[in-house]
Amino acid sequence: DESALERHFEATIAADNRLEPRDWLPEGYRKTMIRQIAQHAHSEIIGMQPEGNWITRAPSLRRKAVLLAKVQDEAGHGLYLYSAAETLGADRADLTDRLINGRQKYSSIFNYPTLTFADVGVVGWLVDGAAICNQVPLCRSSYGPYARAMVRICKEESFHQRQGYELLMTMMRGTDAQRDMVQDAVNRWWWPSLMMFGPPDADSPNTAQSMAWKVKRHTNDELRQRFVDMSVPQAEALGVTFPDPDLRWNAERGHHDFGEIDWAEFKQVLKGNGPCNAERVAHRRAAQDDGAWVREAASAHAAKNAGRIGA
Ligand code: FAQ
């Protein structure tokens, strides 16, 4: 009966065990997981665009090969995550429809433009860095297929982060113009990277329930603080500064204090009014339309084969 199933669900979470597709799940938990996994998948797929923009203009064959591999990894992460969402009963085509019709979100960060090749490095360093900070604890998320997907995804994100940092170190050893390019990219990406962690805890409607279900292991503000603390020494080693006059070590707290995030900007980006929202979604929609004939042909082929097996 329902109450025995519910007890099994609660006991699994209390014991820090994983919930699996075969397990009974409360509707709220299922909805939350589909929401988070779908948003995450959409982010990986939309996230291919800002860096993909530079593949044809990478400054060397080596940089082009590395960037191609990275962007291809993001596609893999997206497909992996859509598969995890399918174990919860979601339909992949329906999720894509929701993305291109603006009914499901993807990360705010991918609505900012990549203006120079230094942006490729800064996206690797800060955006993948923030993604790792957020996703390593998700390897212990209570939903098994999601947690296991995170293990592999985090390993690949670590490679992405290192390639970004290595690219920036190379540019910092270059000319003054290259160093200026890196600093300019850092200035533009720092605040949006902090927004990736989501609204402040006090304004985060989902955190309390997701923490209770062990879907999330830390709050948005905890992870944001961790990211600031780990990024400051990396910036020093690189020789760049963050565009925040209030950023300083607080010995009492044992953490860096930092300035107020522009939450009005964050809300605008979530509403669809960021610098690149329209372009990102239009591009994804065009890819979906252009691929329609492939999906139709593949379905027709599968149906024909199924007929043969049946005969
Ligand atoms: N952008 O109550 P909360 C990557 C939404 S990394 C857009 O705090 P929650 C790798 C939130 O969904 C990026 N929307 O929500 C890569 C909710 O809306 P809803 C993807 C945001 O879920 C690197 C509302 O605001 N990573 O792709 C954002 O407890 C380089 C209220 O917020 C993940 O998705 C935002 N920044 O916490 C790829 C990680 N923040 O659904 C290519 C997994 C919040 O109620 C290149 N997700 N919202 O309508 C999570 O950890 C969580 O979902 C949070 C949000 C922390 C993002």
Side-chain angles (χ1 to χ4, degrees):
D1 62 300
E2 184 104 342
S3 69
L5 294 169
E6 189 134 17
R7 277 200 302 278
H8 176 261
F9 171 79
E10 296 294 348
T12 304
I13 288 175
D16 260 336
N17 287 332
R18 301 285 93 92
L19 291 153
E20 297 298 337
R22 63 169 183 267
D23 291 326
W24 178 88
L25 303 172
E27 261 329 286
Y29 181 91
R30 187 181 301 276
K31 263 180 78 181
T32 286
M33 283 323 303
I34 292 176
R35 176 182 65 80
Q36 179 163 330
I37 298 173
Q39 277 177 20
H40 195 164
H42 297 332
S43 302
E44 300 281 358
I45 298 297
I46 296 282
M48 295 167 75
Q49 293 183 41
E51 290 163 287
N53 183 36
W54 282 94
I55 290 173
T56 55
R57 289 173 290 157
S60 70
L61 183 61
R62 174 172 175 267
R63 294 292 173 198
K64 192 199 281 275
V66 170
L67 187 54
L68 260 174
K70 180 190 192 271
V71 172
Q72 208 164 291
D73 284 352
E74 315 293 1
H77 298 173
L79 299 181
Y80 231 64
L81 287 163
Y82 285 126
S83 297
E86 283 177 326
T87 67
L88 291 154
D91 176 74
R92 191 181 293 226
D94 175 56
L95 296 180
T96 299
D97 273 350
R98 285 172 195 265
L99 167 65
I100 59 187
N101 292 320
R103 281 179 294 136
Q104 269 178 352
K105 297 189 172 83
Y106 58 90
S107 182
S108 51
I109 193 74
F110 302 117
N111 294 305
Y112 293 86
T114 40
L115 301 181
T116 72
F117 199 71
D119 290 48
V120 171
V122 172
V123 167
W125 172 35
L126 294 179
V127 175
D128 284 281
I132 294 166
C133 197
N134 166 263
Q135 287 167 34
V136 165
L138 294 174
C139 296
R140 294 183 296 116
S141 189
S142 56
Y143 190 59
Y146 187 52
R148 287 188 292 275
M150 283 302 120
V151 175
R152 171 165 175 187
I153 290 176
C154 285
K155 288 207 163 92
E156 294 185 349
E157 303 283 27
S158 301
F159 156 70
H160 297 170
Q161 203 259 357
R162 298 306 293 250
Q163 72 81 33
Y165 199 72
E166 189 266 349
L167 189 166
L168 295 176
M169 285 202 300
T170 306
M171 286 187 83
M172 292 303 284
R173 285 194 300 267
T175 63
D176 282 344
Q178 284 174 308
R179 275 186 287 277
D180 289 347
M181 226 184 258
V182 174
Q183 182 61 59
D184 174 66
V186 170
N187 292 347
R188 286 181 288 103
W189 288 93
W190 174 245
W191 290 108
S193 298
L194 296 188
M195 295 176 194
M196 286 176 72
F197 294 90
D201 294 349
D203 303 324
S204 164
N206 301 304
T207 292
Q209 180 62 77
S210 287
M211 297 278 287
W213 278 331
K214 298 184 182 172
V215 167
K216 285 167 84 165
R217 294 295 191 150
H218 302 281
T219 70
N220 299 355
D221 286 332
E222 283 166 10
L223 292 173
R224 188 169 12 248
Q225 179 71 62
R226 187 179 288 185
F227 176 69
V228 171
D229 289 339
M230 73 184 215
S231 298
V232 167
Q234 293 172 0
E236 277 164 15
L238 197 58
V240 295
T241 56
F242 291 129
D244 179 359
D246 298 321
L247 181 63
R248 68 178 63 88
W249 178 249
N250 180 328
E252 251 164 63
R253 290 203 307 126
H255 291 292
H256 292 85
D257 291 336
F258 54 98
E260 186 61 31
I261 292 168
D262 184 351
W263 293 113
E265 175 181 321
F266 176 71
K267 284 186 189 132
Q268 280 303 317
V269 174
L270 256 61
K271 270 209 231 152
N273 302 326
C276 301
N277 294 60
E279 181 188 327
R280 300 294 185 233
V281 174
H283 193 83
R284 181 68 192 88
R285 180 188 293 276
Q288 183 70 356
D289 292 348
D290 290 348
W293 70 272
V294 179
R295 293 190 300 278
E296 274 163 31
S299 302
H301 182 72
K304 209 163 124 190
N305 274 354
R308 269 201 208 108
I309 293 161

